[in-house]
């Protein structure tokens, strides 16, 4: 009976270190221009705004510097503080890049409407066409960081998938591998040291998990059983 209890405790500790639910994955997404409000009926119209970005669902068609309307000064030929925005359509040309999620870059060029010189070789305009990412439906890998507390006695199993343990499906997530990112002693054990078997450590694992690409090119974590 005591042997079964120790095995159960070991399994619980390892599962806690291998996977910790509810982790947050940060993504970089373009934010709408602050302070911009669209009145009813304007969503499909061209907009001229002070600033350097357009609201969600729009792209920059021209860039200029307008001190009278937007303040500041035109210190160089490359500076701008006013943009003209148009709603995204199936195909459109925008100043700069990359294309928004769901559109693919199909052409590159240079336009005098964008706030850079066109000298025959410089590219400042991108043509974007609506369509799926060519990787859509294929599997990829993404990185997760998970943290848990574990006793020092179980250190040989910390972040063990792909090393101590093979790649596996664990609690709905398929793990390819793990590595120990950080560890730190939270509480000394019964003999007063962090190397005591019952000392408690905070362990963070870096995990490579399975995902599948969607039409927008985002690799969405898969579910396994």
């Amino acid at each position: 009976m005591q042997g079964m209890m120790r095995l159960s405790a070991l399994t619980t500790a390892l599962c806690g270190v291998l996977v910790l639910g509810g982790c947050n994955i940060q993504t970089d997404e373009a934010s709408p221009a602050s302070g911009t409000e669209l009145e009813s009926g304007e969503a499909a119209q061209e907009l001229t705004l002070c600033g350097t970005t357009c609201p969600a669902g729009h792209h920059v068609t021209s860039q200029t510097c307008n001190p009278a309307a937007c303040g500041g000064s035109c210190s160089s030929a490359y500076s701008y503080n006013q943009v003209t925005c148009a709603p995204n359509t199936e195909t459109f040309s925008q100043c700069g890049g990359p294309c928004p999620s769901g559109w693919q870059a199909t052409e590159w060029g240079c336009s005098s409407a964008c706030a850079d010189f066109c000298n025959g070789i410089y590219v400042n305009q991108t043509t974007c066409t609506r369509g799926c990412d060519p990787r859509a439906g294929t599997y990829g890998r993404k990185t997760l960081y998970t943290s848990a507390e574990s006793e020092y006695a179980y250190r040989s199993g910390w972040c063990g998938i792909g090393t101590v343990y093979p790649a596996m499906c664990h609690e709905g997530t398929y793990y390819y591998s793990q590595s120990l990112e950080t560890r730190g002693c939270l509480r000394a054990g019964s003999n007063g040291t962090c190397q005591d078997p019952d000392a408690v450590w905070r362990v963070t694992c870096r995990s490579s998990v399975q995902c599948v690409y969607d039409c927008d090119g985002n690799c969405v974590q898969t579910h396994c059983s």
Side-chain angles (χ1 to χ4, degrees), residues 98-140:
C99 296
S101 179
W103 279 261
Q104 305 301 309
T106 54
E107 292 181 29
W108 294 264
C110 195
S111 171
S112 59
C114 302
D116 291 309
F117 288 119
C118 287
N119 57 10
I121 59 173
Y122 188 77
V123 173
N124 67 4
Q125 186 181 68
T126 306
T127 298
C128 305
T129 302
R130 183 71 169 173
C132 278
D133 189 284
R135 298 169 296 176
T138 63
Y139 288 103

Side-chain angles (χ1 to χ4, degrees), residues 21-66:
C23 61
N24 294 320
I25 304 174
Q26 296 183 348
T27 58
D28 295 326
E29 296 182 355
S31 301
S34 59
T36 300
E37 295 183 2
L38 299 180
E39 297 181 3
S40 176
E42 284 190 322
Q45 298 179 8
E46 205 170 64
L47 307 169
T48 299
L49 307 170
C50 291
T52 59
T53 59
C54 294
H58 291 67
H59 60 277
V60 178
T61 59
S62 67
Q63 303 163 321
T64 188
C65 189
N66 189 342

Side-chain angles (χ1 to χ4, degrees), residues 26 30 38-39 43 48 52 61 66 72 74 90 105 115 138 154 156 161 163 165 170 174 177 197 204 207 211 216:
Q26 296 183 348
L38 299 180
E39 297 181 3
T48 299
T52 59
T61 59
N66 189 342
C74 298
E90 287 298 309
T138 63
Y154 306 130
S156 62
I161 292 178
T163 53
Y165 306 101
H170 181 78
Y174 190 85
S177 63
T204 299
S207 304
C211 59
D216 290 337

Side-chain angles (χ1 to χ4, degrees), residues 61-105:
T61 59
S62 67
Q63 303 163 321
T64 188
C65 189
N66 189 342
C70 301
S73 62
C74 298
S75 57
S76 75
Y78 299 96
S79 64
Y80 65 96
N81 62 4
Q82 186 180 73
V83 293
T84 299
C85 306
N88 296 344
T89 55
E90 287 298 309
T91 299
F92 59 85
S93 295
Q94 65 175 19
C95 293
C99 296
S101 179
W103 279 261
Q104 305 301 309

